[in-house]
Amino acid sequence: MILFNGVEKKYPGEVTGLDSISVRIEDGEFVFLVGPSGAGKTTLLKLLIREIIPTSGTVCIDDWEINKLSSRQLPLLRRKVGFVFQDFKLLMDRTIFENIAVSLEILGKGSSEIKERVYEVMKIVHLEEKSNYFPKQLSFGEQQRVAIGRAIAGSARILLADEPTGNLDPKTSWEILKIINDINKLGTTVLMATHNVDIVNSLKKRVLVIEKGKIVKDTKKSKYAK
Ligand SMILES: Nc1ncnc2c1ncn2[C@@H]1O[C@H](COP(=O)(O)OP(=O)(O)OP(=O)(O)O)[C@@H](O)[C@H]1O
Ligand SMILES: [Mg+2]
């Protein structure tokens, strides 16, 4: 369960990132975050991995208050919450296998467990044929799939995706969406910020509309008219 309670985020110079947001997201939900550029979507996602901390209010995942976690608990948070941002940074001098394995090495997993899990993940993102390729040998959409694989490899229960289809053509965007939807069907909670109205309208998931730092609409299984 994800809970934002009266969350405000101000950036330097009194710029509003989020303004008094309260929302609850249950385990296993798929939620789209939509709204104009500068509305606060990325801010909301970054609060969940403690890349930034709220100016006031609380952000909780289950019984953890994110801004109160100790430095020891932080790796556990990163394990629970996988994220894919638009500027996914793959390690260019490592293969696809190694890029996905990295997130498991950080968790201190043994090599046979890593191998097993990486192959499992490569199947989910449909890259099992390309395990020995390097990122520059892949298309942009395939690279995005590696980033998704890396995000879920540690068995993340929550997947945050910030415009994962931002630079992709429509066909590739749908492939990515299908993978994210499959990951959700396996039980992972998904929060996805997007400007892609077609995708939002077709999937009929919960939609949070954010404008000027506020949630102005929260619709279940509904369409979103821009
Ligand atoms: N690091 C920062 N320093 C100062 N202001 C910031 C910072 N990050 C975001 N902001 C401001 O906070 C507001 C919300 O930004 P945010 O990136 O969350 O919007 P967004 O909804 O993700 O927009 P987009 O659709 O363009 O990605 C904007 O006014 C933005 O300029
Ligand atoms: Mg953004």
Side-chain angles (χ1 to χ4, degrees), residues 41-42 162-163:
K41 304 178 295 293
T42 299
D162 198 357
E163 297 193 37

Side-chain angles (χ1 to χ4, degrees):
M1 178 261 303
I2 295 170
L3 194 63
F4 284 77
N5 194 3
V7 175
E8 181 194 48
K9 174 65 191 176
K10 285 230 183 287
Y11 290 107
E14 290 298 291
V15 176
T16 298
L18 286 178
D19 183 6
S20 211
I21 293 249
S22 294
V23 66
R24 181 187 171 105
I25 294 163
E26 303 298 339
D27 289 345
E29 278 198 79
F30 190 131
V31 182
F32 283 116
L33 304 177
V34 302
S37 186
K41 304 178 295 293
T42 299
T43 300
L44 190 151
L45 295 176
K46 284 184 173 170
L47 285 164
L48 283 165
I49 51 167
R50 212 171 83 172
E51 190 169 316
I52 52 177
I53 53 167
T55 310
S56 61
T58 54
V59 180
C60 297
I61 296 179
D62 302 329
D63 51 357
W64 286 4
E65 192 177 325
I66 301 303
N67 39 325
K68 287 199 180 144
L69 294 182
S70 66
S71 51
R72 278 224 215 122
Q73 287 170 307
L74 266 186
L76 295 173
L77 175 71
R78 297 285 153 89
R79 182 178 178 173
K80 244 186 218 197
V81 186
F83 57 95
V84 184
F85 288 138
Q86 208 177 341
D87 59 337
F88 51 84
K89 292 182 185 75
L90 297 179
L91 304 166
M92 299 312 274
D93 59 345
R94 309 264 187 106
T95 64
I96 303 321
F97 180 98
E98 289 164 342
N99 265 280
I100 296 174
V102 159
S103 51
L104 297 162
E105 282 159 9
I106 292 168
L107 299 174
K109 303 281 185 195
S111 62
S112 61
E113 193 183 345
I114 289 180
K115 201 170 166 194
E116 195 177 321
R117 178 64 182 154
V118 172
Y119 279 106
E120 214 172 85
V121 167
M122 285 193 302
K123 261 192 207 153
I124 295 173
V125 297
H126 309 310
L127 284 172
E128 59 269 52
E129 312 281 307
K130 305 228 161 149
S131 79
N132 291 321
Y133 283 55
F134 289 89
K136 63 174 180 299
Q137 298 173 291
L138 301 187
S139 72
F140 207 66
E142 287 170 331
Q143 290 183 38
Q144 182 63 293
R145 274 147 55 191
V146 178
I148 293 170
R150 185 180 55 186
I152 62 163
S155 303
R157 289 183 35 236
I158 298 171
L159 177 64
L160 309 178
D162 198 357
E163 297 193 37
T165 62
N167 297 318
L168 305 175
D169 62 67
K171 182 169 170 282
T172 313
S173 297
W174 276 108
E175 284 166 16
I176 297 285
L177 237 291
K178 180 158 185 321
I179 288 167
I180 294 176
N181 202 23
D182 287 347
I183 291 167
N184 173 249
K185 283 185 191 152
L186 291 171
T188 304
T189 310
V190 172
L191 260 75
M192 173 172 158
T194 183
H195 287 281
N196 191 324
V197 177
D198 288 343
I199 282 178
V200 174
N201 285 345
S202 304
L203 264 83
K204 300 191 175 57
K205 303 288 187 188
R206 182 175 177 188
V207 181
L208 296 181
V209 184
I210 304 180
E211 282 174 16
K212 295 185 184 147
K214 285 186 187 296
I215 295 176
V216 294
K217 212 168 168 194
D218 179 354
T219 47
K220 293 241 158 93
K221 295 191 177 183
S222 177
K223 290 203 172 185
Y224 160 60
K226 211 167 190 181

